[in-house]
Amino acid sequence: MKTLRNIITATLLAASMALSPIARAECDVTLGVAFSDGTAQLTQQNRRYLANIIRRAVSGSMTPAELDNAQICIYVAADVNGRHIVSNVAPSKTVLDLTLTLYVADRNTGTTFSSTSFDLTGVGNSEPQAYNNASRQLKAQNRQLKEFGDKARVEVVDYYDRNLDAIINKAKTEAAMRDYDSALWRLLSVPECCKGYNRAVAEAKVVYQQYVNRQCEENLAQAQAAWMAGYTLENAQVASVFLSEIYPDAACYPEAQELVAEIKKHMGERWKFEMHQWDTLIDVEKQRLAHAREIALAYAQNQPQTVISVIR
């Protein structure tokens, strides 16, 4: 797991006031990148290429996985407009005219907010090669792509502003069902420049506390069971695996510390283990929020990619 200090900068709170369209265009947002069935000829390498330049244009970064399961995504579709063979060279070449269209879309409903298209031409020794070479003609520095990214950010912030109550209520329902990871991901996907960002973060802190308390109970029980199976170094090491998942803000942290002290009493220097502790040089609340973001990111990384049907 990444150290909390490395991602603290991602946890600073934003003001909750409404922002102008210019400020919203500069806002960091969480967007997925999805590909239509019509892009089946794209290799995985070229899908990654397109996803990266789209992320850079829309989000200002290329953070992986965290973006790919976002509620709002950039949907990539492609249409072949024409093809011809150049046969007076060896080997013969295929020339493909391709229109690549990007949609800002709601992953659940397929509703689109805006779109933009790029006419691209690719040349290759085969149609698939020409297809992929055409996709490479789209560059991150493309002005049209950057303008689309700015507009997309504004639309995403507006989406979260309009749907914040529903997002928070959905997260509360998930938390009540102990689906804490999903609830945290949902709440922490709200961009910092949204009017209700502070509300979402406040609710995320409540869900996070429920999560760490539940995790503490489960991991402490597993650690206790491992240790009670026999006072051996092997069992102590098994217990340490579970104890390492317990954080200082968990309700049962003191009880976990007592178990650690007991194991050390029996094992002495043979068992070297220390419980999680907050960094004293960094504000604890920022560390807690950073840990919550880690949990949300891990959840997103483990979700299957959803196939969506965009309403054009």
Side-chain angles (χ1 to χ4, degrees), residues 77-114:
D79 297 293
V80 176
N81 300 320
R83 58 173 66 80
H84 65 274
I85 305 298
V86 178
S87 56
N88 59 351
V89 295
S92 61
K93 302 292 183 183
T94 299
V95 180
L96 208 63
D97 294 322
L98 188 71
T99 296
L100 196 70
T101 305
L102 308 181
Y103 300 88
V104 180
D106 184 320
R107 186 180 291 275
N108 286 349
T109 66
T111 304
T112 59
F113 304 114
S114 64

Side-chain angles (χ1 to χ4, degrees), residues 280-305:
T280 57
L281 299 179
I282 302 174
D283 180 75
V284 170
E285 282 303 303
K286 291 179 180 178
Q287 293 180 74
R288 296 178 75 246
L289 190 52
H291 184 213
R293 291 190 186 281
E294 282 190 342
I295 295 164
L297 177 56
Y299 169 82
Q301 289 173 330
N302 289 318
Q303 297 309 298
Q305 291 299 298

Side-chain angles (χ1 to χ4, degrees), residues 27-292:
C27 181
D28 286 336
V29 299
T30 301
L31 282 173
V33 179
F35 292 85
S36 72
D37 292 340
T39 60
Q41 292 193 69
L42 280 176
T43 63
Q44 285 301 114
Q45 181 179 9
N46 281 304
R47 283 173 183 258
R48 286 193 295 269
Y49 167 80
L50 284 173
N52 283 341
I53 67 167
I54 291 168
R55 287 171 183 145
R56 191 182 304 167
V58 176
S59 303
S61 67
M62 293 190 296
T63 307
E66 176 184 18
L67 302 175
D68 285 338
N69 290 285
Q71 171 75 27
I72 308 300
C73 71
I74 301 296
Y75 182 80
V76 183
D79 297 293
V80 176
N81 300 320
R83 58 173 66 80
H84 65 274
I85 305 298
V86 178
S87 56
N88 59 351
V89 295
S92 61
K93 302 292 183 183
T94 299
V95 180
L96 208 63
D97 294 322
L98 188 71
T99 296
L100 196 70
T101 305
L102 308 181
Y103 300 88
V104 180
D106 184 320
R107 186 180 291 275
N108 286 349
T109 66
T111 304
T112 59
F113 304 114
S114 64
S115 65
T116 192
S117 296
F118 304 88
D119 292 325
L120 308 169
T121 299
V123 180
N125 294 332
S126 64
E127 182 166 321
Q129 187 180 65
Y131 190 101
N132 283 279
N133 287 343
S135 71
R136 288 271 176 172
Q137 299 307 307
L138 185 62
K139 306 296 183 184
Q141 297 79 16
N142 184 291
R143 177 177 293 182
Q144 182 183 343
L145 180 60
K146 288 185 175 181
E147 291 174 352
F148 173 72
D150 290 343
K151 184 177 180 181
R153 285 194 288 275
V154 172
E155 290 173 333
V156 170
V157 171
D158 287 342
Y159 168 87
Y160 280 104
D161 282 343
R162 292 194 310 271
N163 294 281
L164 186 67
D165 287 341
I167 290 168
I168 290 177
N169 288 336
K170 176 68 173 177
K172 286 181 176 179
T173 299
E174 290 173 328
M177 299 173 65
R178 295 182 176 177
D179 192 1
Y180 305 117
D181 309 59
S182 179
L184 286 172
W185 166 79
R186 192 175 306 280
L187 293 165
L188 294 176
S189 292
V190 176
E192 291 186 9
C193 54
C194 284
K195 290 181 288 187
Y197 172 75
N198 286 346
R199 282 182 58 203
V201 169
E203 188 61 37
K205 289 179 178 180
V206 173
V207 174
Y208 166 77
Q209 190 62 55
Q210 295 170 340
Y211 171 90
V212 295
N213 287 346
R214 180 66 179 176
Q215 288 292 101
C216 186
E217 292 171 4
E218 293 177 352
N219 283 295
L220 179 58
Q222 294 280 10
Q224 289 170 332
W227 179 238
M228 293 304 295
Y231 298 165
T232 65
L233 180 59
E234 180 181 2
N235 287 339
Q237 290 171 334
V238 173
S240 68
V241 173
F242 297 106
L243 291 167
S244 66
E245 296 297 320
I246 297 174
Y247 275 74
D249 46 357
C252 73
Y253 187 81
E255 193 175 350
Q257 287 179 307
E258 291 176 4
L259 177 60
V260 169
E262 179 185 335
I263 297 174
K264 285 186 174 182
K265 180 179 178 181
H266 285 83
M267 293 292 103
E269 291 299 316
R270 292 187 297 161
W271 189 64
K272 298 184 182 299
F273 176 80
E274 296 295 334
M275 294 284 290
H276 272 298
Q277 295 184 8
W278 295 131
D279 190 328
T280 57
L281 299 179
I282 302 174
D283 180 75
V284 170
E285 282 303 303
K286 291 179 180 178
Q287 293 180 74
R288 296 178 75 246
L289 190 52
H291 184 213

